[in-house]
């Protein structure tokens, strides 16, 4: 049962990253690829039908934590207090800037909310990368099953660590670079003309940077959390993740070269899913890893709620998953045309 | 303020009160959109215009509800970790249910509702309105079920060896009688809010003499639906809720009424100031025997006063609880009177022309917001000093690893952020109202593919 709930936690998180990732990426690039008012409206229109539903996957992830591992939630959330509120405020500002920007004709304030949208998206991309880095590296959780986390301590990933050290920062940069490439791939598939052309350039550049950072982070991980790669390579889901990554990368590359934007986007989604899925396989069964001593780790089997709650939760959760996935498919089917091409909708 | 839980409580109450300003209109307006779109489908073009106008406002309101809702979910973990650890095995279910069943449904269709009229065609657009409305009402149920467990933790749990609660009866948790009563009361109240808002915009247009057809639709639908909802809020739902409080939270009832002495033929206080130090109500105007009758159906039943309870089990802020309850009940009564009068005018054919009434309707829309806020304050202050009634004290629930300084820091941040949000919301809504309902689509929207 713990294995199932851990997989569900990983699934929601991976889906969240793969879905909200492209609209974060679009926000990150917003000011750079879209220059005119029409282009900026096109970027917002491209993510318009998606971003709100995508963010629900973050709440769904929190929900899984609450329903299956409330003790983990109770330990981790207060420890990341300020970082989480930074995330929250960015999410609030981002959502509001999209909404307000959609209703504005005034160029002065449109420019302001474009900047808020781009700034909050960029910061969120970095913060989620830092968070992922913290999960992999571990946190200074002690024998009393509690910890607090400063923003930074000595920038080293051992002992009394902070939120930011050289390892989590490189994961944060990787996350930013990847999301930029991912967002560019999405925008290229949904836009046209000079906007699409700039997206393709951004896609190539940030994909190169992301690939280079990926190599760096993989090597760092081998030192920071040696068990992760070893575990990954000993488990079927780990190999599955790697296979998805390889297939995704080749689809992405071929789609890009052939100018087939949708295929490239599918490939880039698979890359995100593959990397995070493989990482999750390598982390099991640890949810919170201790940088102080391995016996302080919080593991899935010991943190799981009592059997009845876990079983009944699993039943309804799986039932709810069907429509939730259906909405995602429906969203893509209904809104997969290029924006600005359909004069009737203007 | 030396109480370490003070800032955590203040932050949660501030953010939840602010947040709830939006979803109550979302839930209530959802009903109106279904009504408007239904009548449009039956061939009345004026209702198509009304649907378009209100769905646009609905979209703005929905977005503000979503972004202010995020912090609520997070704060269970960040600020109330010991409570989450204690009760997560039970309330984790309802909170996660909301995300999986309600939020996905709402978010999948809200875009189609606001922007998809042309693309979808009338029938599918109606279906989108129904789906969004259903999603928001479902979301309300799961939150109310969570709150109902905290108010009245019926036998859906057991306490484990580690002192934490775990679930034993899923359907029992969802069918908590407290949840059913609270839900009916709360949802009809949100319809009242929306009725007042719809009627206020109608009254504004009628007073200005612009958009006469829409003014008429807004006014008539608003006061018509509003009267039914306002009556149901009071009776049977409010009445039933009060009886549950009398039965299961007698100390709360005593504090809501500022009642210290026990005894039969208890009187109901209309107006007066609770004087907790002297154990009495100053300048009170009473209705004799009415409290006994309302609480138990007979004047001979004794209603307990606070003196019957250990002061450590008294609600922590009796004065505020007393005023919250009286503000809610007083406003609720006035809503019925005002809406009855408006409906009388409507059947006399004078609703759109009787200017004093239009002025009152236009300016009355903030009061249902005040009433619902006061109602929730009654529920939550009345639950004190418990976080889970009779089981777990509020003083034990906050995150003790988060310093007061950190909690105050984020509270100040919310004050700033929400001030800006409020300005933007008012600006966008007033702009829409000023722009008015028109046959054409609203301008200024993004390029929607």
């Amino acid at each position: 049962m713990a294995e199932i709930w851990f997989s569900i936690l990983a699934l929601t998180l991976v889906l969240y990253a793969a879905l909200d990732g492209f609209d974060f990426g679009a926000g990150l690039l917003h000011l750079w690829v879209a220059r005119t008012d029409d282009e900026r409206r096109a970027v917002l229109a491209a993510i318009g039908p998606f971003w709100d539903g995508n963010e629900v996957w973050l709440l769904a992830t929190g929900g899984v934590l609450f329903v299956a591992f409330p003790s983990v939630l109770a330990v981790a959330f207060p420890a990341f207090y300020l970082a989480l509120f930074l995330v929250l405020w960015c999410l609030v500002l981002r959502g509001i800037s999209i909404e307000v920007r959609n209703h504005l004709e005034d160029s002065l304030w449109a420019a302001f909310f474009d900047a808020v949208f781009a700034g909050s998206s960029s910061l969120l991309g970095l913060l989620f990368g830092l968070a992922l880095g913290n999960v992999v590296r571990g946190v200074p959780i002690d024998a009393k099953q509690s910890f607090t986390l400063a923003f930074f301590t000595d920038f080293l990933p051992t002992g009394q660590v902070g939120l930011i050290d050289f390892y989590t920062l490189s994961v944060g940069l990787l996350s930013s670079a990847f999301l930029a490439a991912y967002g560019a791939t999405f925008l290229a598939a949904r836009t046209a003309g000079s906007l699409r052309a700039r997206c393709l350039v951004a896609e190539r550049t940030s994909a190169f940077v992301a690939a280079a950072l990926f190599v760096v982070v993989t090597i760092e991980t081998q030192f920071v959390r040696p068990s992760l790669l070893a575990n990954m390579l000993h488990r079927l889901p780990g190999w599955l993740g790697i296979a998805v990554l390889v297939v995704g990368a080749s689809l992405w590359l071929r789609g890009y070269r052939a100018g087939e934007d949708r295929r490239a986007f599918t490939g880039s989604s698979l890359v995100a899913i593959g990397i995070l899925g493989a990482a999750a396989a390598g982390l099991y069964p640890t949810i919170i890893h201790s940088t102080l001593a391995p016996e302080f780790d919080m593991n899935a089997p010991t943190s799981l709620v009592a059997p009845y709650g876990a079983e009944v939760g699993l039943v309804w959760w799986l039932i709810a998953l069907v429509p939730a996935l259906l909405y995602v498919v429906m969203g893509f089917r209904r809104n997969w045309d290029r924006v600005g091409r359909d004069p009737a909708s203007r | 303020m030396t109480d370490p839980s003070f800032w955590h409580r203040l932050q949660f109450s501030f953010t939840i009160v602010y947040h709830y300003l939006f979803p109550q209109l979302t839930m209530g307006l959802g009903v109106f959109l279904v009504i408007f779109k239904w009548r449009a489908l039956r061939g009345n073009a004026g209702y198509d215009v009304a649907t378009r106008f209100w769905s646009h406002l609905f979209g703005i309101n929905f977005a503000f509800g979503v972004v202010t809702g995020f912090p609520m979910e997070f704060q269970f973990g960040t600020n109330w970790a010991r409570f989450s650890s204690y009760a997560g095995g039970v309330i984790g279910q309802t909170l996660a249910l909301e995300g999986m069943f309600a939020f996905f449904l709402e978010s999948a269709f809200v875009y189609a509702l606001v922007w998809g009229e042309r693309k979808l065609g009338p029938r599918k657009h109606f279906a989108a309105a129904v789906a969004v409305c259903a999603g928001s009402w479902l979301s309300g149920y799961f939150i109310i079920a969570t709150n109902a467990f905290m108010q009245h933790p019926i036998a859906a749990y057991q306490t484990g060896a580690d002192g934490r609660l775990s679930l034993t009866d899923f359907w029992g948790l969802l069918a908590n009688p407290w949840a059913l009563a609270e839900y009916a009361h709360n949802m009809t109240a949100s319809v009242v809010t929306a009725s007042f808002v719809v009627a206020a915009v109608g009254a504004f247009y009628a007073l200005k003499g612009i958009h006469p057809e829409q003014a008429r639709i807004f006014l008539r639908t608003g006061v018509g639906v509003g009267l039914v909802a306002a009556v149901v809020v009071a009776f049977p739902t409010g009445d039933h809720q009060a009886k549950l409080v009398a039965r299961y939270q007698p100390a709360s009832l005593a504090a809501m009424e500022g009642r210290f002495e026990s005894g039969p033929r208890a009187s109901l206080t209309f107006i007066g100031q609770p004087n907790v130090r002297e154990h009495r109500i100053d300048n009170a105007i009473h209705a004799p025997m009415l409290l006994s009758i309302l609480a138990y159906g007979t004047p001979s039943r004794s209603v307990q006063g606070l003196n019957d309870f250990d002061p450590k089990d008294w609600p922590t802020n009796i004065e505020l609880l007393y005023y919250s309850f009286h503000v809610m009940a007083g406003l609720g009564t006035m809503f019925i009177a005002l809406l009855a009068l408006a409906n009388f005018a409507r059947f006399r054919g004078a609703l759109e022309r009787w200017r004093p009434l239009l002025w009152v309707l236009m300016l009355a829309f903030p009061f249902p917001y005040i009433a619902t806020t006061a109602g929730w304050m009654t529920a939550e202050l009345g639950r004190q000093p418990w976080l889970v009634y009779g089981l777990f004290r509020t003083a034990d629930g906050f995150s003790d690893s988060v310093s007061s300084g950190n909690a105050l820091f984020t509270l100040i941040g919310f004050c700033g952020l929400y001030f800006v949000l409020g300005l933007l919301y008012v600006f966008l809504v007033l702009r829409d109202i000023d722009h008015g309902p028109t046959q054409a689509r609203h301008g200024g929207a993004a390029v929607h593919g």
Side-chain angles (χ1 to χ4, degrees):
Chain A
M1 192 51 87
E3 205 162 10
I4 297 174
W5 274 110
F6 186 92
S7 316
I8 289 178
L9 183 64
L11 174 74
T12 49
L13 199 60
V14 168
L15 277 174
Y16 172 65
L19 288 167
D20 221 14
F22 69 74
D23 62 66
F24 279 152
L28 214 146
L29 294 172
H30 187 57
L31 296 180
W32 313 108
V33 297
R35 306 278 166 81
T36 64
D37 184 59
D38 271 350
E39 287 176 351
R40 290 190 175 166
R41 283 179 187 280
V43 169
L44 290 175
I47 64 166
F50 297 102
W51 72 271
D52 179 34
N54 292 347
E55 281 188 358
V56 178
W57 287 97
L58 179 64
L59 294 179
T61 309
V64 171
L65 215 48
F66 220 149
V67 90
F69 306 108
S71 54
V72 173
L73 177 110
V75 169
F77 274 45
F80 284 101
Y81 191 82
L82 289 180
L84 279 174
F85 278 97
L86 205 53
V87 168
L88 273 175
W89 292 341
C90 283
L91 285 172
V92 171
L93 283 174
R94 183 170 179 273
I96 286 304
S97 58
I98 296 174
E99 181 65 23
V100 176
R101 174 65 169 88
N102 265 338
H103 293 95
L104 285 182
E105 289 106 34
D106 186 90
S107 61
L108 184 71
W109 288 107
F112 174 77
F113 285 105
D114 280 329
V116 174
F117 170 55
S120 53
S121 301
S122 311
L123 195 54
L124 280 167
L126 183 69
L127 283 168
F128 281 128
L130 287 174
L132 185 65
N134 274 272
V135 170
V136 173
R137 178 206 59 194
V139 291
I141 185 169
D142 58 21
K144 286 182 290 180
Q145 294 270 282
S146 79
F147 69 102
T148 52
L149 206 63
F151 269 140
F152 46 81
T153 52
D154 54 4
F155 290 98
L156 294 176
T158 49
Q160 287 296 337
V161 292
L163 182 73
I164 303 171
D165 60 29
F166 76 79
Y167 176 72
T168 60
L169 190 61
S170 23
V171 182
L173 293 175
L174 168 61
S175 152
S176 303
F178 177 80
L179 291 180
Y182 190 30
T185 314
F186 173 78
L187 286 179
R190 275 215 83 192
T191 57
S194 55
L195 174 56
R196 175 174 173 269
R198 273 186 234 114
C199 287
L200 289 173
V201 175
E203 180 182 341
R204 191 175 60 184
T205 318
S206 29
F208 268 123
V209 176
L213 281 168
F214 181 66
V215 175
V216 173
V217 167
T218 309
I219 296 168
E220 283 178 343
T221 305
Q222 185 55 32
F223 290 97
V224 172
R225 184 86 181 267
S227 64
L228 187 141
L229 291 172
N231 281 342
M232 190 194 291
L233 299 178
H234 280 101
R235 288 174 183 155
L236 183 63
W239 281 104
L240 261 173
I242 294 170
V244 170
L245 166 64
V246 171
V247 172
S250 82
L251 261 182
W252 192 355
L253 197 64
R254 277 186 296 161
Y256 176 79
R257 285 200 176 137
E260 289 175 19
D261 297 338
R262 289 188 191 187
R263 195 202 288 186
F265 177 70
T266 311
S268 58
S269 312
L270 291 179
V271 168
I273 293 169
I275 293 175
L276 292 174
L283 289 171
Y284 184 82
T286 311
I287 303 181
I288 299 181
H289 173 61
S290 174
T291 52
L292 302 179
E295 61 267 28
F296 303 150
D297 284 4
M298 286 189 91
N299 294 325
T302 48
S303 312
L304 190 68
V305 288
Y308 175 80
E311 283 159 20
V312 79
L314 184 63
V315 172
W316 67 250
W317 197 89
L318 289 175
I319 294 172
L321 182 65
V322 177
L325 290 176
L326 211 65
Y327 300 143
V328 174
V329 176
M330 199 178 77
F332 275 103
R333 285 190 58 162
R334 192 176 291 153
N335 300 293
W336 216 196
D337 47 350
R338 290 186 194 269
V339 291
R341 281 278 177 86
D342 174 16
S345 74
R346 294 197 67 143
Chain B
M1 286 189 212
T2 49
D3 174 9
S5 71
F6 179 81
W7 299 116
H8 295 283
R9 291 184 65 186
L10 192 59
Q11 175 168 304
F12 200 92
S13 38
F14 170 61
T15 50
I16 191 69
V17 164
Y18 193 91
H19 167 62
Y20 191 61
L21 297 175
F22 304 106
Q24 63 181 303
L25 185 61
T26 299
M27 297 183 295
L29 211 48
V31 176
F32 275 89
L33 286 176
V34 170
I35 295 173
F36 287 150
K37 190 71 199 178
W38 173 249
R39 305 196 74 165
L41 271 183
R42 307 285 296 271
N44 190 328
Y47 284 93
D48 252 333
V49 179
T51 312
R52 215 164 290 144
F53 176 75
W54 285 107
S55 61
H56 200 258
L57 278 174
F58 182 94
I60 296 170
N61 192 68
F62 183 84
F64 279 77
V66 168
V67 299
T68 55
F70 270 114
M72 303 325 305
E73 308 269 334
F74 276 67
Q75 284 180 80
F76 281 101
T78 50
N79 297 76
W80 297 94
R82 286 187 296 164
F83 166 60
S84 296
S85 172
Y86 169 75
V90 177
I91 62 160
Q93 297 273 343
T94 40
L95 289 173
L97 276 162
E98 185 193 24
M100 289 304 289
F101 282 101
F103 289 158
F104 278 122
L105 178 64
E106 282 181 288
S107 63
F109 290 99
V110 72
Y111 189 84
L113 172 67
V114 180
W115 303 110
E117 192 188 344
R118 271 167 207 264
K119 219 172 182 176
L120 293 174
R123 279 174 190 285
K124 281 190 179 170
H125 194 228
F126 175 69
V130 173
V132 172
C133 181
S136 69
W137 278 58
L138 203 55
S139 157
Y141 191 77
F142 292 125
I143 289 301
I144 297 267
T146 309
N147 183 260
F149 180 77
M150 293 158 69
Q151 297 281 357
H152 181 48
I154 34 103
Y157 67 90
Q158 64 185 18
T159 311
D162 55 358
R164 291 173 178 165
L165 298 186
S166 59
L167 186 70
T168 55
D169 180 3
F170 177 72
W171 294 110
L173 174 69
L174 285 186
N176 185 346
W178 194 290
L180 302 173
E182 193 179 344
Y183 184 65
H185 187 55
N186 184 72
M187 299 314 282
T188 39
S190 70
V191 175
V192 174
T193 300
S195 304
F196 270 88
V197 169
V198 171
V201 176
F204 171 65
Y205 290 152
L207 284 169
K208 291 266 281 184
I210 52 177
H211 312 298
E213 189 194 7
Q214 295 303 312
R216 192 167 156 273
I217 290 176
F218 297 171
L219 276 167
R220 293 191 161 220
T221 320
V223 301
V225 174
L227 180 61
V228 176
V231 170
V232 177
V233 168
F235 189 88
T237 66
D239 175 64
H240 184 54
Q241 179 77 59
K243 287 190 165 69
L244 285 176
V245 172
R247 195 155 147 205
Y248 296 110
Q249 299 185 348
S252 307
L253 183 72
M256 279 154 67
E257 273 295 308
R259 185 176 168 78
F260 291 90
E261 306 295 331
S262 302
R265 287 181 292 285
S267 56
L268 187 74
T269 308
F270 287 130
I271 292 177
Q273 297 79 41
N275 188 335
V276 175
R277 197 186 302 159
E278 304 288 332
H279 286 200
R280 62 160 195 263
I281 303 278
D282 294 335
N283 313 312
I285 298 175
H286 295 296
M289 296 193 288
L290 198 54
L291 184 59
S292 283
I293 296 172
L294 285 178
Y296 298 106
T298 159
S300 58
R301 274 290 294 270
S302 167
V303 177
Q304 284 178 290
L306 281 167
N307 291 341
D308 276 11
F309 303 94
D310 187 339
K312 78 174 176 19
D313 293 338
W314 287 11
T316 30
N317 197 334
I318 292 168
E319 295 89 342
L320 191 57
L321 172 57
Y322 168 91
Y323 286 120
S324 303
F325 174 62
H326 283 79
V327 165
M328 171 193 76
L331 283 175
T333 312
M334 288 185 229
F335 296 158
I336 295 174
L338 173 62
L339 290 167
L341 180 68
N343 277 282
F344 177 72
R346 173 185 163 193
F347 288 114
R348 296 288 304 274
L351 178 60
E352 297 86 7
R353 287 192 306 275
W354 191 15
R355 295 185 71 85
L357 179 69
L358 291 175
W359 270 102
V360 173
L361 285 174
M362 182 176 81
L363 296 176
F365 77 88
F367 291 97
Y369 286 100
I370 294 170
T372 51
T373 304
W376 272 106
M377 284 170 69
T378 308
E380 300 305 279
L381 290 165
R383 198 189 62 226
Q384 306 302 327
W386 305 98
L387 230 170
V388 183
Y389 202 83
L391 292 178
F392 187 80
R393 285 176 183 271
T394 309
D396 301 326
F398 67 95
S399 308
D400 49 1
S401 61
V402 175
S403 70
S404 304
N406 272 352
L408 180 55
F409 177 79
T410 51
L411 174 62
I412 293 171
F414 275 113
C415 290
L417 185 63
Y418 281 5
F419 176 70
V420 175
L421 246 58
L423 289 181
L424 289 171
Y425 179 80
V426 170
F427 164 72
L428 290 178
V429 168
L430 289 184
R431 223 178 57 126
D432 258 26
I433 293 172
D434 186 46
H435 191 267
T438 47
Q439 288 293 337
R441 275 186 57 123
H442 293 284
V447 184
H448 289 281

